[in-house]
């Protein structure tokens, strides 16, 4: 069955306490909170964003995230707070693993700017002093992240091995995709 029954919430404790997931404690879903604090704050500059994405890729909880996706019996939904940074990095690595071209990964990421429009407007209203360019998805963030990712790991197989996934789990991820 292709139903989504596994939910991965990458938000930190404060966010989870403030706004518990609607999936937590529901018997139809397996809800996991793998907290990735990397990438939950605002980087200090536009240039720092792709570097912060590498920080997300190297987060300790990433092993649990990808292990969970590999071992899930059905479909998986994953989220963070804004749905673009931690979620974007996980999505990009999965898409890369599936053989999706960079251009499509980048386009997919930039789409979050459209889908997250209202949220971005709210951020601007609540934090008028914040440089909105830092929090607004743009092509450069993902292009540069993919470049840094390849410079460090070469490919997703090496990345997955480096963070501790087994050969079987790496294959399971590919099969799932």
């Amino acid at each position: 069955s292709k139903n989504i029954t596994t939910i991965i919430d990458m938000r930190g404790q404060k966010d989870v306490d403030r706004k518990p997931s609607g999936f937590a404690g529901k018997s139809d879903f397996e809800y996991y909170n793998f907290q990735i604090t990397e990438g939950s704050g605002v980087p200090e500059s536009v240039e720092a964003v792709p570097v912060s994405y590498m920080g997300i890729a190297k987060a300790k909880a990433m092993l649990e995230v990808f292990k969970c996706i590999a071992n899930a019996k059905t479909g998986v939904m994953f989220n963070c707070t804004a749905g673009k940074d931690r979620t974007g990095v996980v999505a990009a690595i999965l898409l890369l693993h599936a053989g999706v071209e960079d251009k499509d990964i980048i386009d997919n990421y930039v789409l979050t700017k459209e889908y997250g429009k209202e949220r971005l407007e709210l951020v601007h209203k609540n934090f008028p002093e914040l440089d909105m360019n830092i929090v607004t998805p743009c092509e450069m963030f993902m292009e540069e992240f993919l470049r840094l990712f390849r410079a460090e790991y070469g490919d997703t197989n090496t990345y997955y091995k480096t963070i501790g996934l087994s050969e079987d789990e790496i294959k399971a991820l590919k099969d799932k995709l």
Side-chain angles (χ1 to χ4, degrees):
S1 148
K2 293 282 181 241
N3 296 338
I4 294 174
T5 57
T6 299
I7 310 296
I8 298 174
D9 182 348
M10 296 179 281
R11 296 175 302 151
Q13 198 59 55
K14 255 199 336 232
D15 285 333
V16 172
D17 290 345
R18 198 176 38 118
K19 196 174 178 199
S21 171
F23 294 104
K26 294 263 191 298
S27 58
D28 311 350
F29 295 98
E30 287 186 43
Y31 168 80
Y32 300 93
N33 179 213
F34 301 130
Q35 299 184 8
I36 296 177
T37 51
E38 294 82 353
S40 59
V42 177
E44 64 275 11
S45 67
V46 166
E47 294 71 29
V49 175
V51 178
S52 81
Y53 284 7
M54 278 302 284
I56 294 169
K58 292 177 179 187
K60 248 176 52 179
M62 276 301 216
L63 173 59
E64 295 175 293
V65 169
F66 287 115
K67 227 182 221 310
C68 184
I69 296 171
N71 294 311
K73 285 165 191 61
T74 58
V76 179
M77 183 187 93
F78 51 92
N79 69 275
C80 56
T81 304
K84 64 180 177 64
D85 302 313
R86 291 165 284 185
T87 298
V89 169
V90 171
I93 295 170
L94 287 171
L95 291 169
L96 212 51
H97 195 55
V100 174
E101 303 217 350
D102 285 15
K103 186 196 175 314
D104 295 321
I105 296 173
I106 294 160
D107 288 350
N108 184 278
Y109 167 76
V110 173
L111 262 184
T112 58
K113 182 168 70 181
E114 293 311 308
Y115 292 122
K117 224 189 198 108
E118 287 159 17
R119 185 180 288 255
L120 286 167
E121 284 164 8
L122 205 64
V123 167
H124 186 55
K125 210 180 82 179
N126 293 331
F127 306 95
E129 73 292 346
L130 183 66
D131 179 353
M132 287 305 291
N133 293 318
I134 297 173
V135 295
T136 305
C138 71
E139 290 178 2
M140 183 279 279
F141 294 167
M142 190 48 69
E143 268 166 22
E144 185 60 11
F145 166 68
L146 292 171
R147 193 190 67 72
L148 292 169
F149 183 87
R150 285 198 180 94
E152 177 115 8
Y153 301 106
D155 59 29
T156 51
N157 286 332
T158 305
Y159 167 75
Y160 286 136
K161 275 186 214 131
T162 304
I163 67 167
L165 244 57
S166 71
E167 290 291 343
D168 287 349
E169 287 165 331
I170 294 170
K171 189 185 174 313
L173 276 176
K174 196 158 237 168
D175 292 345
K176 203 176 221 90
L177 298 164

